[in-house]
Amino acid sequence: MNRLSPTCPPPKELSYLVHEPFFFGPSHRQLFAVYHPPVGVDSNVLTVICPPLFAELNRTHSLLVKLACSLAEQGQHVLRIDYSGTGDSFGRLREVTISDWVDDIKL
């Protein structure tokens, strides 16, 4: 499913705004992520944006979306994730540990 991001700056071409939300990982521990495909030249570089937690996430969300858009415009594949128990990922915050979040990044 493709959606247009309301927070990206005006595009040079429409594909700049395309991003693809999806779930991945084991069925008991699905993580939510948003993929920003590269625009123009594909540099074969993947950047995974690991957001801060709690109140800092709320403060930085739009900045991280803009960063993802900017990196995609430079030809990078960009993935923004929600850790287990946060955002739209599966799990309850009180049931996950820092080790779980480190494992999320490794997925």
Side-chain angles (χ1 to χ4, degrees):
M1 172 164 85
N2 292 338
R3 296 186 180 186
L4 297 182
S5 175
T7 56
C8 288
K12 293 180 181 169
E13 52 184 275
L14 184 59
S15 62
Y16 178 77
L17 292 175
V18 174
H19 63 270
E20 303 170 19
F22 66 98
F23 288 91
F24 72 101
S27 60
H28 68 284
R29 189 176 155 198
Q30 292 275 289
L31 298 180
F32 178 77
V34 178
Y35 170 64
H36 297 260
V39 175
V41 177
D42 181 347
S43 69
N44 293 320
V45 172
L46 169 65
T47 299
V48 179
I49 296 178
C50 302
L53 295 166
F54 313 118
E56 288 80 16
L57 174 59
N58 294 331
R59 292 186 200 121
T60 60
H61 178 77
S62 64
L63 176 66
L64 294 177
V65 171
K66 289 177 184 177
L67 173 62
C69 292
S70 178
L71 293 171
E73 184 179 45
Q74 295 174 33
Q76 294 185 30
H77 298 263
V78 182
L79 188 66
R80 294 184 294 118
I81 65 168
D82 287 347
Y83 304 107
S84 297
T86 69
D88 292 318
S89 289
F90 286 26
R92 293 181 171 198
L93 183 58
R94 66 178 178 228
E95 297 172 356
V96 296
T97 64
I98 293 173
S99 296
D100 293 324
W101 293 331
V102 171
D103 290 342
D104 290 347
I105 297 167
K106 294 176 183 178
L107 283 177

